[in-house]
Amino acid sequence: MRVRPSIKNSWVLHHDNAPCHTAISVNRFLASKNIPVAPQPPYSPDLSPCDFFLFPKLKNHLKGHHFGTLQKIQMTVTDQLKTIPISEFHQCYEEWKKRLQRCVASEGSYFERDNVEL
């Protein structure tokens, strides 16, 4: 709310159906904080931008390194995030929209890559 007050009443959390995200304790926490969650089909491909865009970028940079402390990990991840050009976030958003359209076109059924006609 303090970072982006203009969207504080209109954003929705989008995550996948991983067990850690759908646990009762997580759902209770999100509900207690009035955090809306976008529904996701149970076997859909990676629809969350973190899964198909952000985590792979970070993983490639962090793989094989030992950081020793939580602070060093946080500093390295923050530095790496700052190197991603804004244009790549815009491309990610466009890719996210295409993935969501494919999910709707497949009526929530599982599909791989772009083999669903739009």
Side-chain angles (χ1 to χ4, degrees):
M1 284 189 285
R2 66 182 169 75
V3 176
R4 296 188 183 235
S6 62
I7 65 167
K8 71 178 182 178
N9 295 319
S10 62
W11 70 278
V12 175
L13 178 64
H14 184 195
H15 60 67
D16 60 15
N17 289 318
C20 60
H21 296 153
T22 58
I24 292 172
S25 60
V26 172
N27 288 329
R28 283 184 184 152
F29 172 81
L30 295 172
S32 74
K33 300 294 183 187
N34 294 319
I35 297 173
V37 178
Q40 179 152 314
Y43 301 108
S44 60
D46 291 338
L47 294 176
S48 171
C50 290
D51 290 335
F52 71 81
F53 171 73
L54 197 56
F55 295 156
K57 283 190 171 302
L58 294 175
K59 188 168 93 174
N60 288 337
H61 182 74
L62 302 175
K63 187 164 64 174
H65 291 77
H66 178 73
F67 297 96
T69 68
L70 181 58
Q71 290 78 16
K72 286 183 183 178
I73 295 170
Q74 290 172 333
M75 184 179 70
T76 303
V77 168
T78 300
D79 291 345
Q80 188 61 26
L81 288 171
K82 289 177 181 178
T83 68
I84 302 172
I86 291 173
S87 62
E88 288 189 30
F89 284 100
H90 289 290
Q91 289 172 335
C92 170
Y93 180 70
E94 294 304 317
E95 175 62 23
W96 181 57
K97 289 192 303 188
K98 288 177 189 174
R99 287 171 182 251
L100 292 173
Q101 288 170 343
R102 285 188 202 106
C103 186
V104 169
S106 72
E107 297 178 348
S109 297
Y110 179 80
F111 63 90
E112 290 185 23
R113 296 194 172 80
D114 59 354
N115 64 354
V116 172
E117 295 294 324
L118 297 177

